[in-house]
Amino acid sequence: MMNAKSNSGSVLTDTSQPGVTILTIHRPHRKNAVDPLTAKQLYEAILAFEADATQKRRQQMKVQARIYNRFTAATWGPMGPSRLVIKKPVIAAVAGYAVAGGLELSLLADLRVVEEDAVFGVFCRRWGVPLIDGGTVRLQAIVGLGRALDLILTGRPVGAEEALSMGLANRVVPKGDSLKQALELARQLIAFPQLCLNTDRQSCYYSAYDASSFQDAMSQEFQAGSKVISAEAISGAARFSRGSGRHGSFKDFSKL
């Protein structure tokens, strides 16, 4: 595993944390707006993360960006990895404005750790720029159709606390603490049995996006979960029977 930071133009990659890849959009002179070159670099960085067997988690920080309307391949969009189905859990550390394409980019994450002064919004509503990086698809899956339409139709700003109340933010933290808290959350997730965690994650996404019916979703969940029983659940149940987790004490796990 790499143990140093690497610089790919406007996207920084840091794998010095065990099991964690930190991807940073670094264009301070443009307030982290994503141009086509940065989008391509971000897309390639995500693919490298997916291919790295040593990396279980990714933090994507400071997703302040504006939308661009051209791309060179059907597999990547104006914001880069927006058309990907990422197989590993993703945590976004959101600082400042995550609007238009920046909002869409944050929706790629499973969890969003949001600084207290962060702002979400479909600001592009004012200039006739549509959501083409998954905003109309992912946002409603996360916050529900009614709330998604509120944001999409009005283009209004949404602060961190309101984002938390609607489920768009998962944690609200003090200014400057989003990466620190996201890393702590990633370490907690790493402590869990990984096959079970990833299987349940994939079943959630199947139910949200791919299932043809309630019965289909339930069947997929059972079939996928059954494969975890012999691999992890039996040994986990044995630990539980020996006292692990008794009375709500999880000293042998990172506590969420």
Side-chain angles (χ1 to χ4, degrees):
M1 181 177 70
M2 294 185 295
N3 57 10
K5 296 180 180 180
S6 62
N7 188 335
S8 178
S10 300
V11 177
L12 309 180
T13 300
D14 181 354
T15 56
S16 60
Q17 303 282 333
V20 177
T21 296
I22 304 171
L23 300 181
T24 307
I25 300 172
H26 185 66
R27 300 188 76 217
H29 60 296
R30 296 293 186 185
K31 297 184 179 180
N32 283 346
V34 174
D35 63 1
L37 179 59
T38 303
K40 185 173 185 295
Q41 292 172 351
L42 185 58
Y43 173 81
E44 292 172 346
I46 290 289
L47 292 184
F49 158 73
E50 289 274 67
D52 187 348
T54 68
Q55 300 301 292
K56 297 184 179 69
R57 301 288 177 268
R58 164 180 162 260
Q59 267 59 49
Q60 170 211 316
M61 54 184 285
K62 298 183 179 177
V63 288
Q64 301 148 281
R66 66 174 181 266
I67 200 164
Y68 282 77
N69 63 2
R70 64 188 180 91
F71 54 96
T72 58
T75 53
W76 62 282
M79 298 303 295
S82 57
R83 288 165 172 75
L84 292 176
V85 177
I86 301 175
K87 297 178 181 178
K88 298 179 182 179
V90 176
I91 302 171
V94 181
Y97 282 80
V99 300
L103 167 62
E104 292 179 293
L105 193 57
S106 77
L107 299 177
L108 283 170
D110 302 286
L111 302 171
R112 279 156 293 282
V113 178
V114 177
E115 295 186 8
E116 59 190 355
D117 63 343
V119 177
F120 294 93
V122 186
F123 286 12
C124 54
R125 176 60 54 240
R126 293 157 178 79
W127 296 278
V129 179
L131 296 170
I132 57 174
D133 273 282
T136 66
V137 178
R138 300 181 196 270
L139 184 59
Q140 65 171 309
I142 293 170
V143 304
L145 179 59
R147 286 184 170 130
L149 286 172
D150 182 4
L151 271 67
I152 291 169
L153 296 180
T154 69
R156 68 182 180 85
V158 173
E161 289 298 331
E162 183 180 2
L164 180 66
S165 71
M166 67 173 61
L168 180 54
N170 299 97
R171 307 283 191 279
V172 175
V173 300
K175 185 177 180 179
D177 279 1
S178 59
L179 179 59
K180 175 184 176 182
Q181 295 296 327
L183 284 169
E184 178 59 28
L185 183 55
R187 294 187 191 103
Q188 292 170 353
L189 299 187
I190 289 172
F192 295 137
Q194 293 299 295
L195 177 61
C196 183
L197 183 145
N198 283 286
T199 297
D200 284 349
R201 174 184 180 269
Q202 290 164 10
S203 291
C204 282
Y205 280 112
Y206 183 86
S207 177
Y209 294 116
D210 298 321
S212 60
S213 66
F214 174 79
Q215 290 78 10
D216 178 35
M218 293 291 287
S219 176
Q220 191 279 336
E221 178 193 67
F222 180 79
Q223 291 177 22
S226 296
K227 298 175 183 178
V228 179
I229 301 298
S230 60
E232 290 180 346
I234 293 176
S235 61
R239 292 198 307 275
F240 178 77
S241 68
R242 293 194 295 268
S244 176
R246 189 160 295 169
H247 306 300
S249 176
F250 304 111
K251 294 181 180 178
D252 52 345
F253 291 98
S254 298
K255 190 174 182 180
L256 288 172

